[in-house]
């Protein structure tokens, strides 16, 4: 069914007018630009949502917010959505989206009759004027505290052809999922028992979109946080490399991985480096990351997550080295996974609202698998990293039930330790009762009481360049903490999967 819209009341602008409105507010806080006193309603409702967007709409563009499923603006004759979204400054020129970007309601009762080109979603997603504000707080704040957040930038996103294909595939999966429910369950009460699967079962199959909140709350289409992050980073300080390759879904990446496995299986790291023109003076994990990025067309990218097309699909490279018998060689450090200590200090934060939850549900690990081949020496077996052989690729999802249960358990424990000031740092001892000493510095080795690998699939471990490379949490100096996955678990998970 083709929707009929009343477009007459949509405000019309030229792009130079948009720039004239938004450029003067850059660097100013939301409170400073609120000339129409939008924040006054936060006195009555301190938990009101969407206050930043209300300020931009009512005090900058001066139109009232509405819930109509039509675009907000007409820019140079093109109907466009206005989205005000928070961004996080991660340092060193890196910016991330604070959260997913809600686009429009799923409209469970009517979407089953829609086609993509005429859908409410596509009318809003085709062109979006983003206005970014910097979320400068370390914890959740009341609506009124948004007054202190400054405007960072604005960007007019016109959906490119490849993005459109992926978005259409995602939208169609949602539409067909709901059609299936309507066909299988003629009674609406029976349908309601199936609708919650939209945000649990189906979300795992979507690439750029997800739906939230969970039914019976009214679900909405959202751009995934990782997808918004690419848009944000590209428009503020582009650190991505576009290789010119076209990935219209994870299946395209999987086909490419299969081709590389056929072509390079059994090749050593050293020989692959030569194939891809990478100097082999020093071969380490960073070189492997660069090698894999070269396979996927990256010339400047240091790792595949720096390749724009793969970043949008949420793929993080994570090399796995196995023994000749297929056993583990080490635990897996999730270097790209955020560990926001300030979230542990927030008493009201929910696990589902944390950065780490977003990472585990949004990203997948693309694992190039290598086998090590130790050589006998007078001092015992020795591994030459350059002689490790490439076996192929596997993809590891991080949102399995077992992983997410372990993650929630260790996050809850860490949250309690930090918030309730129960975190400790204590000396480590050998079995004979003597202190463990760091060979390089001669200092006593220390450990925290954060969750360990012996009790958990997911655990914390500190790392640093030397004994002096430390951070302070609750006044306690310690190594920088990272999330890790137990190596034995990784090996067993990967064994269950065939090579791509």
């Amino acid at each position: 069914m083709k929707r009929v819209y009343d477009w007459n009341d949509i405000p019309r602008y030229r792009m130079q007018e948009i720039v004239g409105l938004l450029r003067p507010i850059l660097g100013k806080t939301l409170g400073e630009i609120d000339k129409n006193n939008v924040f006054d309603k936060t006195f009555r409702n301190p938990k009101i949502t969407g206050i930043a967007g209300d300020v931009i709409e009512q005090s900058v563009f001066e139109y009232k917010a509405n819930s109509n499923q039509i675009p907000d603006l007409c820019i140079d004759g093109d109907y466009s959505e206005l989205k005000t979204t928070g961004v996080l400054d991660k340092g060193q020129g890196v910016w991330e989206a604070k959260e997913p970007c809600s686009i429009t309601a799923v409209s469970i009762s009517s979407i089953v009759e829609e086609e993509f080109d005429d859908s409410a979603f596509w009318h809003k997603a085709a062109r979006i004027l983003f206005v970014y504000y910097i979320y400068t707080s370390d914890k959740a704040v009341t609506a009124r505290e948004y007054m202190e957040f400054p405007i960072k930038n604005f960007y007019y996103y016109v959906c490119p052809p490849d993005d459109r294909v992926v978005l259409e595939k995602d939208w169609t999966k949602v539409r067909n999922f709901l059609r299936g429910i309507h066909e299988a369950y003629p009674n609406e009460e029976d349908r309601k028992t199936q609708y919650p699967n939209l945000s649990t079962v189906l979300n795992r199959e979507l690439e750029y979109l997800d739906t939230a909140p969970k039914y019976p709350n009214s679900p909405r289409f959202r751009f995934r946080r990782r997808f918004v992050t690419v848009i944000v980073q590209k428009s503020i300080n582009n650190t991505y490399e576009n290789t010119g390759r076209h990935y219209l879904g994870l299946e395209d990446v999987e086909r490419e991985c299969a081709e590389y496995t056929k072509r390079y299986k059994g090749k050593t790291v050293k020989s692959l480096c030569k194939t891809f023109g990478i100097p082999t003076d020093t071969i380490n994990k960073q070189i492997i990351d660069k090698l894999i990025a070269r396979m996927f067309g990256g010339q400047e990218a240091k790792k595949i997550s720096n390749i724009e097309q793969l970043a949008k699909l949420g793929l993080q490279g994570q090399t796995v080295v196995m023994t000749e018998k297929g056993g583990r060689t080490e635990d897996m450090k999730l270097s790209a996974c955020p560990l926001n200590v300030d979230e542990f200090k927030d008493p009201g934060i929910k696990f589902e609202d944390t950065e780490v939850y977003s990472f585990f549900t949004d990203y997948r690990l693309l694992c190039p698998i290598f086998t090590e081949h130790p050589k006998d020496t007078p001092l015992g077996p020795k591994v030459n990293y350059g002689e490790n052989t490439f076996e192929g690729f596997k993809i590891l999802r991080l949102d399995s039930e077992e992983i997410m249960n372990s993650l929630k358990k260790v996050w809850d424990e860490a949250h309690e330790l930090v918030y309730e000031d129960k975190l400790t740092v204590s000396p480590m001892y050998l079995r004979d009762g003597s202190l463990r000493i760091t060979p390089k510095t001669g200092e006593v080795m220390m450990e925290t009481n954060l969750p360990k690998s012996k009790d958990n699939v997911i655990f914390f471990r500190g790392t640093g360049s030397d004994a002096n490379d430390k951070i302070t949490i609750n006044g306690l100096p310690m190594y920088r903490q990272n999330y890790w996955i137990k190596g034995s678990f990784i090996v067993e998970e990967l064994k269950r999967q065939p090579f791509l």
Side-chain angles (χ1 to χ4, degrees):
M1 179 181 71
K2 187 172 183 177
R3 286 175 175 268
V4 178
Y5 295 105
D6 180 5
W7 306 95
N8 294 327
D9 293 333
I10 296 178
R12 283 163 164 75
Y13 295 90
R14 294 182 178 179
M15 182 54 73
Q16 57 262 41
E17 293 177 295
I18 296 289
V19 173
L21 286 170
L22 295 178
R23 186 169 286 167
I25 71 173
L26 297 183
K28 294 184 178 180
T29 65
L30 287 164
E32 290 174 324
I33 65 177
D34 182 22
K35 64 182 181 182
N36 288 333
N37 303 314
V38 177
F39 274 105
D40 284 357
K41 61 185 176 183
T42 62
F43 286 113
R44 300 186 301 274
N45 186 359
K47 294 184 178 181
I48 191 171
T49 59
I51 187 65
D54 290 347
V55 170
I56 298 299
E57 290 169 354
Q58 298 173 43
S59 284
V60 178
F61 288 91
E62 299 197 71
Y63 71 86
K64 292 185 178 181
N66 63 73
S67 59
N68 296 334
Q69 286 191 299
I70 57 175
D72 297 311
L73 308 171
C74 182
I75 303 175
D76 288 341
D78 293 318
Y79 293 104
S80 310
E81 185 72 355
L82 173 63
K83 287 296 176 185
T84 303
T85 190
V87 298
L88 304 173
D89 183 356
K90 308 305 287 188
Q92 298 182 326
V94 176
W95 294 86
E96 292 181 0
K98 177 183 177 290
E99 57 197 359
C101 179
S102 175
I103 303 300
T104 193
V106 173
S107 299
I108 287 175
S109 61
S110 59
I111 190 177
V112 294
E113 302 296 331
E114 290 185 343
E115 297 299 328
F116 182 75
D117 286 342
D118 294 320
S119 67
F121 169 80
W122 178 237
H123 280 305
K124 284 177 170 278
R127 296 174 183 84
I128 301 176
L129 176 62
F130 282 103
V131 179
Y132 309 137
Y133 64 88
I134 306 176
Y135 194 90
T136 56
S137 176
D138 295 328
K139 57 183 180 181
V141 299
T142 64
R144 188 153 189 81
E145 290 175 282
Y146 275 69
M147 293 180 71
E148 303 303 319
F149 295 157
I151 302 299
K152 171 62 182 176
N153 201 4
F154 59 93
Y155 176 68
Y156 190 47
Y157 169 81
V158 179
C159 184
D162 283 3
D163 285 1
R164 185 195 187 285
V165 172
V166 180
L167 291 173
E168 182 174 2
K169 288 168 64 176
D170 282 354
W171 180 91
T172 302
K173 286 178 181 178
V174 173
R175 192 272 314 272
N176 289 349
F177 183 83
L178 291 170
R179 274 185 179 176
I181 291 175
H182 280 229
E183 291 169 359
Y185 300 91
N187 185 287
E188 182 62 22
E189 290 305 310
D190 293 333
R191 293 172 180 174
K192 289 179 180 179
T193 66
Q194 302 301 310
Y195 290 152
N197 291 329
L198 181 64
S199 297
T200 52
V201 176
L202 190 63
N203 271 356
R204 299 183 89 244
E205 299 179 18
L206 306 181
E207 303 289 3
Y208 290 176
L209 299 178
D210 67 13
T211 61
K214 185 177 179 180
Y215 189 87
N217 298 305
S218 300
R220 297 180 63 81
F221 284 109
R222 307 188 307 176
F223 283 173
R224 286 186 179 270
R225 181 173 180 258
R226 66 169 184 250
F227 183 68
V228 185
T229 287
V230 175
I231 295 173
V232 167
Q233 181 65 25
K234 281 187 63 182
S235 58
I236 296 179
N237 180 27
N238 190 13
T239 56
Y240 292 108
E241 179 179 354
N242 189 311
T243 63
R245 298 185 182 182
H246 302 280
Y247 303 119
L248 305 180
L250 188 62
E251 63 274 11
D252 288 344
V253 179
E254 292 176 339
R255 279 193 290 269
E256 197 165 311
C257 287
E259 176 58 32
Y260 297 146
T261 300
K262 186 187 304 182
R263 193 181 306 172
Y264 302 121
K265 180 177 173 59
K267 301 285 187 181
T268 66
V269 170
K270 189 173 183 178
S271 67
L272 286 173
C273 284
K274 290 180 179 179
T275 298
F276 288 96
I278 298 173
T280 56
D281 297 339
T282 301
I283 296 180
N284 51 30
K285 288 186 177 180
Q286 289 71 38
I287 293 297
I288 301 298
D289 290 339
K290 191 172 185 178
L291 167 63
I292 300 304
R294 284 281 178 93
M295 282 190 186
F296 287 90
Q299 297 304 307
E300 303 297 330
K302 294 181 179 179
K303 47 192 175 183
I304 66 167
S305 57
N306 296 139
I307 296 174
E308 179 185 334
Q309 298 94 318
L310 298 179
K312 286 180 179 178
L313 291 169
L315 290 170
Q316 296 279 341
Q318 192 78 49
T319 300
V320 175
V321 180
M322 295 186 174
T323 67
E324 291 178 318
K325 294 183 178 181
R328 74 164 187 168
T329 60
E330 57 186 4
D331 298 320
M332 179 183 285
K333 175 184 174 182
L334 296 175
S335 302
C337 180
L339 197 160
N340 187 343
V341 175
D342 290 315
E343 290 182 334
F344 293 146
K345 299 176 182 178
D346 184 352
I349 193 169
K350 297 180 180 178
F351 170 65
E352 291 76 11
D353 296 329
T354 63
E355 288 187 58
V356 67
Y357 178 88
S358 176
F359 181 89
F360 271 66
T361 54
D362 235 13
Y363 290 91
R364 293 166 282 211
L365 301 184
L366 177 59
C367 301
I369 312 294
F370 291 84
T371 298
E372 65 178 20
H373 305 280
K375 299 288 181 65
D376 291 329
T377 72
L379 298 177
K382 182 178 180 181
V383 173
N384 183 334
Y385 211 74
E387 297 301 318
N388 289 357
T389 52
F390 175 65
E391 304 299 334
F393 289 97
K394 295 187 179 186
I395 290 179
L396 178 66
R397 296 196 67 121
L398 296 173
D399 59 353
S400 69
E401 184 176 1
E402 185 172 2
I403 290 178
M404 294 304 294
N405 286 342
S406 179
L407 178 65
K408 185 178 189 309
K409 175 178 177 291
V410 302
W411 188 90
D412 285 343
E413 289 179 17
H415 184 218
E416 179 181 351
L417 289 173
V418 175
Y419 173 64
E420 297 187 5
D421 202 19
K422 297 177 181 178
L423 185 65
T424 63
V425 177
S426 55
M428 297 178 67
Y429 293 90
L430 297 172
R431 290 184 178 180
D432 62 6
S434 60
L435 290 168
R436 292 186 64 178
I437 304 298
T438 305
K440 186 176 179 180
T441 63
E443 294 188 15
V444 175
M445 298 178 70
M446 309 293 287
E447 64 179 349
T448 72
N449 59 339
L450 290 168
K452 303 289 192 299
S453 62
K454 63 184 180 68
D455 303 312
N456 304 284
V457 169
I458 309 295
F459 61 96
F460 295 93
R461 181 181 293 168
T463 55
S465 56
D466 57 46
N468 297 315
D469 183 14
K470 293 183 177 180
I471 59 172
T472 300
I473 304 177
N474 288 6
L476 301 171
M478 64 187 70
Y479 287 120
R480 301 177 189 279
Q481 299 295 310
N482 289 93
Y483 288 99
W484 291 67
I485 306 180
K486 189 179 294 187
S488 56
F489 174 83
I490 292 295
V491 168
E492 291 306 311
E493 282 291 294
L494 292 176
K495 280 182 178 178
R496 297 189 185 104
Q497 303 179 28
F499 283 101
L500 297 175

